[in-house]
Amino acid sequence: MNAMVYHGPGQKAWESVDTPKVLHPTDAIIRVTKTTICGTDLHILKGDVPAVTDGRILGHEGVGVVEAVGDAVSNFKPGDRVLISCITSCGKCEYCKKQMYSHCEDGGWILGHLINGTQAEYVRIPHADNSLYPIPAGSDEEALVMLSDILPTGFEIGVLYGAVKPGDTVAIVGAGPVGMASLLTAQFYSPARLIMIDVDDARLEMAMKFGATEVINSTKADVAAHIKATTKDGVDVAIEAVGIPQTFDVCQNIIRPGGHLANVGVHGTSVDLQIQKLWIQNVTITTGLVNTNTTPMLLKNVTSGRLQAEGLITHRFKFNDFPQAYEVFGNAAKEKAMKVIISSD
Ligand SMILES: [Zn+2]
Ligand SMILES: [Zn+2]
């Protein structure tokens, strides 16, 4: 089969590799029909994730068809259409029993990281019964790819940890795919204001279509001054969806007393935490890696059309154009790319 293989920082290739086989009774082999590229894959390619070694197949998102299952798999059979979760979970360990699947003792985020991933014609999914979701007949499978990672990440780590409530003023810093996922799912709770902050006007324009009530281009306006002028004393919830010190700093400068700062961004360096100002303001700061325990709920809202995830998809490619898909996604601002879908046919 062909797969997108990592060969060290800056090196990748769409090349021929061995087709995966069932290794454990709880495994399933999935024929991938649609996958996508995540910002995390770009971090890996920069060399920011040293646990990913030469020869690893990238990718942790996708949908497909069950090709084969091990003897212990009881929820799925060959021919079933499935959504692949970015988080693998055994369902039995201490963390799984707390629904902290991201820290499963025999799983967590391993696809395209510690084991071969989904940017391939076939992928082996360990603990298939807990790590796959059946796709309801007639679903828009492209939209469901948004459920592998970005929708649960934006919802769980941004909206739920941020404790968004009706009437809140919510600021989301970063209008990339995960920031957009927070924007879409924050609306479950009817916040009064949803302020999207980014450096790219095209992304901010898209945010307005997805339900932002206002946008701020942080290269053209002073975000803290704008928030100060238009709120009593800051925002109720600040969601950090970039992962650099500057954007974390924006969040800690605009949060009101009693507010929640929910960090979703993947940080590679330390930030300047202004604890001396924040402690007296009863601010809650949260962080996290997605657990995907909300995926079944989100799946219902996507299949019913309540959550319009397909709007995040800006570009479509076939598997043989995988390197080009990386080129476009890696130059997202120039290409006006949000999520790209790569399909088997
Ligand atoms: Zn991801
Ligand atoms: Zn587990």
Side-chain angles (χ1 to χ4, degrees):
M1 68 162 187
N2 286 311
M4 201 71 216
V5 182
Y6 174 75
H7 288 300
Q11 308 284 323
K12 62 177 184 325
W14 175 250
E15 63 188 25
S16 178
V17 294
D18 290 341
T19 303
K21 292 186 181 66
V22 168
L23 298 180
H24 304 288
T26 47
D27 287 351
I29 303 299
I30 310 302
R31 179 170 63 79
V32 179
T33 53
K34 293 179 194 301
T35 183
T36 182
I37 305 169
C38 181
T40 304
D41 299 319
L42 301 182
H43 276 292
I44 293 170
L45 278 165
K46 274 197 238 154
D48 292 346
V49 190
V52 182
T53 49
D54 186 354
R56 176 72 61 241
I57 298 172
L58 295 164
H60 51 264
E61 298 161 274
V63 297
V65 181
V66 177
E67 184 77 9
V69 295
D71 290 341
V73 175
S74 57
N75 290 349
F76 300 98
K77 60 181 188 313
D80 287 351
R81 303 192 81 88
V82 291
L83 164 67
I84 301 166
S85 176
C86 67
I87 298 292
T88 301
S89 55
C90 74
K92 296 192 286 192
C93 72
E94 185 187 344
Y95 286 108
C96 282
K97 289 196 166 173
K98 288 197 254 187
Q99 288 212 325
M100 282 182 68
Y101 304 132
S102 55
H103 295 278
C104 172
E105 290 167 30
D106 191 35
W109 173 44
I110 55 174
L111 284 175
H113 178 203
L114 307 179
I115 66 168
N116 285 335
T118 57
Q119 291 173 10
E121 291 178 278
Y122 295 87
V123 61
R124 181 180 71 90
I125 303 295
H127 299 297
D129 276 342
N130 289 291
S131 310
L132 297 170
Y133 297 90
I135 294 183
S139 302
D140 173 357
E141 295 193 359
E142 283 190 349
L144 296 191
V145 176
M146 307 299 111
L147 284 163
S148 290
D149 177 357
I150 64 164
L151 282 171
T153 297
F155 179 60
E156 293 172 18
I157 311 302
V159 176
L160 291 185
Y161 284 11
V164 175
K165 296 180 298 302
D168 275 356
T169 295
V170 178
I172 300 171
V173 183
V178 172
M180 293 294 195
S182 291
L183 171 64
L184 287 168
T185 56
Q187 293 167 61
F188 290 152
Y189 297 96
S190 298
R193 292 175 65 189
L194 267 170
I195 308 166
M196 205 75 185
I197 300 155
D198 200 274
V199 297
D200 181 348
D201 282 331
R203 289 191 158 193
L204 292 173
E205 206 175 292
M206 199 167 179
M208 288 302 286
K209 291 190 192 129
F210 289 148
T213 58
E214 58 216 272
V215 296
I216 308 173
N217 184 324
S218 55
T219 63
K220 298 176 186 169
D222 181 337
V223 175
H226 175 89
I227 300 288
K228 194 161 187 273
T230 64
T231 61
K232 181 163 175 272
D233 48 10
V235 301
D236 297 288
V237 182
I239 297 176
E240 202 284 345
V242 181
I244 57 173
Q246 296 91 314
T247 45
F248 185 85
D249 202 45
V250 168
C251 291
Q252 62 182 348
N253 282 327
I254 61 174
I255 196 78
R256 72 183 298 192
H260 283 74
L261 193 171
N263 186 88
V264 191
V266 176
H267 289 265
T269 62
S270 59
V271 300
D272 181 17
L273 177 64
Q274 297 287 317
I275 193 79
Q276 76 285 7
K277 290 184 193 158
L278 295 170
W279 79 268
I280 203 168
Q281 301 202 39
N282 300 58
V283 166
T284 302
I285 300 175
T286 56
T287 65
L289 170 63
V290 67
N291 286 306
T292 66
N293 58 307
T294 67
T295 302
M297 180 282 282
L298 294 167
L299 180 64
K300 287 184 200 169
N301 278 288
V302 171
T303 51
S304 74
R306 182 104 174 86
L307 189 54
Q308 304 264 318
E310 66 282 359
L312 294 167
I313 302 160
T314 53
H315 293 74
R316 291 167 177 82
F317 300 90
K318 300 291 178 211
F319 272 6
N320 284 332
D321 302 322
F322 230 118
Q324 198 195 337
Y326 261 96
E327 202 52 40
V328 167
F329 187 69
N331 293 289
K334 180 170 143 266
E335 303 284 350
K336 296 194 192 314
M338 186 58 63
K339 282 299 265 186
V340 300
I341 287 281
I342 307 100
S343 303
S344 60
D345 53 18

